[in-house]
Amino acid sequence: MRVIIKDEAQDVAEWAAGYVAYKINRFRPTAFKPFVLGLPTGSTPLGMYAELIKLYRAGKVSFENVITFNMDEYIGLAPAHPQSYHYFMHENFFNHINIKPDNIHILDGMTKDYAKECANYEKAIAKVGGIHLFIGGVGEDGHIAFNEPFSSLSSRTRVKTLTESTIKANARFFDNDLSQVPTRALTVGVGTIMDAEEVMILVTGYKKADALKHGVEGAISHVWTISELQRHPHGIIVCDKAATEKLENSTIEYFLDIEKSRF
Ligand code: GLP
């Protein structure tokens, strides 16, 4: 696992966006050989999306031949709902770049047949040959996508009931009204994420210090689903200093030192 430690959240955003652009450009995608990205929502990746839009506007990256799969979507929120992940992605990213609408994939939280929707999502990922780079954030309790504590580490796309902690954390997007936060979501599984060629998790702020500690130094466990990243051959965590507050000094020194001469 690589752990890239940056001073501030903005540095994380710039590094992550630069890395995504580098991976797309190096791949030289075409209509017949598209680059496939897995994408997150949440406040953490907002800075990265803003930086990617800047890179696109500056002509440094194109999304013409990029296919995307989002991690998750709330059950019961229509795409036009301002707190749906469909809305979030279009508002904060897709409306500002040259991605083709047909290349965007987001789970349908309004579906009547969850099992079918989830199975089709897995099939759609497989049909394009899998995901090259899956980007994620992490919840305070270590969840990736909506794979809450005690989710199977080999889980696939499915329905998840959200924990009290996640509902409370996300209430800030719903006028702090807990009753408005959906209690269930469709989400890719831990296994779906780990199937990607590369997985990059963004972690910023003191609130994520426990999740980072368990993800990097803890045992691999379904209690902190981020910890499964330890088994991925190409796992990258990009974090700010605030998030490293609970890491051992020796861990921080190791990763700062080993990253000095890399991208
Ligand atoms: C939600 C999302 C996750 C995200 C997490 C943290 O639970 N399903 O994908 O990582 O929130 O969000 P934030 O970045 O806002 O802290």
Side-chain angles (χ1 to χ4, degrees):
M1 174 194 287
R2 291 179 68 186
V3 179
I4 321 280
I5 303 170
K6 296 285 170 194
D7 286 344
E8 305 288 340
Q10 177 57 23
D11 304 317
V12 170
E14 286 171 23
W15 195 93
Y19 192 70
V20 172
Y22 161 75
K23 293 296 288 191
I24 293 172
N25 290 335
R26 205 182 66 161
F27 190 82
R28 296 177 186 277
T30 65
F32 304 103
K33 194 192 79 162
F35 189 82
V36 187
L37 270 178
L39 295 177
T41 55
S43 45
T44 311
L46 277 173
M48 176 191 72
Y49 290 137
E51 291 302 318
L52 278 171
I53 293 166
K54 278 191 210 161
L55 291 174
Y56 162 69
R57 287 185 179 149
K60 293 190 172 152
V61 67
S62 167
F63 296 89
E64 195 185 350
N65 295 308
V66 172
I67 292 180
T68 63
F69 286 88
N70 262 81
M71 295 185 127
D72 43 19
E73 177 59 287
Y74 288 116
I75 287 181
L77 296 194
H81 189 293
Q83 297 312 334
S84 74
Y85 288 169
H86 275 80
Y87 191 93
F88 174 103
M89 289 306 300
H90 285 85
E91 193 73 2
N92 293 301
F93 193 39
F94 296 144
N95 289 350
H96 311 284
I97 57 170
N98 63 336
I99 193 161
K100 294 173 185 148
D102 284 351
N103 283 349
I104 297 169
H105 300 83
I106 308 180
L107 284 153
D108 176 10
M110 297 301 282
T111 183
K112 293 212 164 48
D113 189 341
Y114 304 139
K116 191 171 166 201
E117 174 69 11
C118 294
N120 284 346
Y121 209 64
E122 292 278 342
K123 275 187 207 150
I125 294 172
K127 199 174 163 197
V128 299
I131 290 173
H132 294 112
L133 174 61
F134 217 133
I135 305 164
V138 66
E140 291 170 33
D141 57 7
H143 72 256
I144 48 175
F146 269 129
N147 295 286
E148 299 282 28
F150 307 106
S151 291
S152 161
L153 297 181
S154 53
S155 49
R156 314 301 311 182
T157 305
R158 69 213 183 292
V159 177
K160 280 301 288 183
T161 301
L162 308 187
T163 62
E164 188 76 16
S165 141
T166 298
I167 291 171
K168 277 187 186 151
N170 290 347
R172 66 189 194 279
F173 300 114
F174 294 84
D175 299 327
N176 287 313
D177 180 354
L178 287 184
S179 70
Q180 301 227 2
V181 187
T183 54
R184 292 187 304 160
L186 298 178
T187 180
V188 295
V190 181
T192 320
I193 298 169
M194 296 301 153
D195 276 356
E197 273 178 26
E198 200 169 5
V199 179
M200 176 168 76
I201 305 289
L202 313 181
V203 191
T204 57
Y206 296 109
K207 282 186 172 175
K208 305 292 173 67
D210 278 319
L212 187 64
K213 183 172 181 64
H214 285 275
V216 176
E217 294 173 343
I220 297 170
S221 161
H222 61 174
V223 185
W224 299 82
T225 53
I226 186 180
S227 64
E228 180 68 357
L229 192 65
Q230 294 174 23
R231 294 209 304 162
H232 196 284
H234 301 290
I236 306 182
I237 287 180
V238 195
C239 60
D240 63 1
K241 279 204 173 133
T244 65
E245 197 188 48
K246 295 196 176 170
L247 290 183
E248 300 292 332
N249 282 337
S250 55
T251 306
I252 297 174
E253 274 162 29
Y254 170 81
F255 284 113
L256 285 175
D257 190 48
I258 204 156
E259 286 296 335
K260 263 181 202 150
S261 52
R262 296 189 65 168
F263 172 85

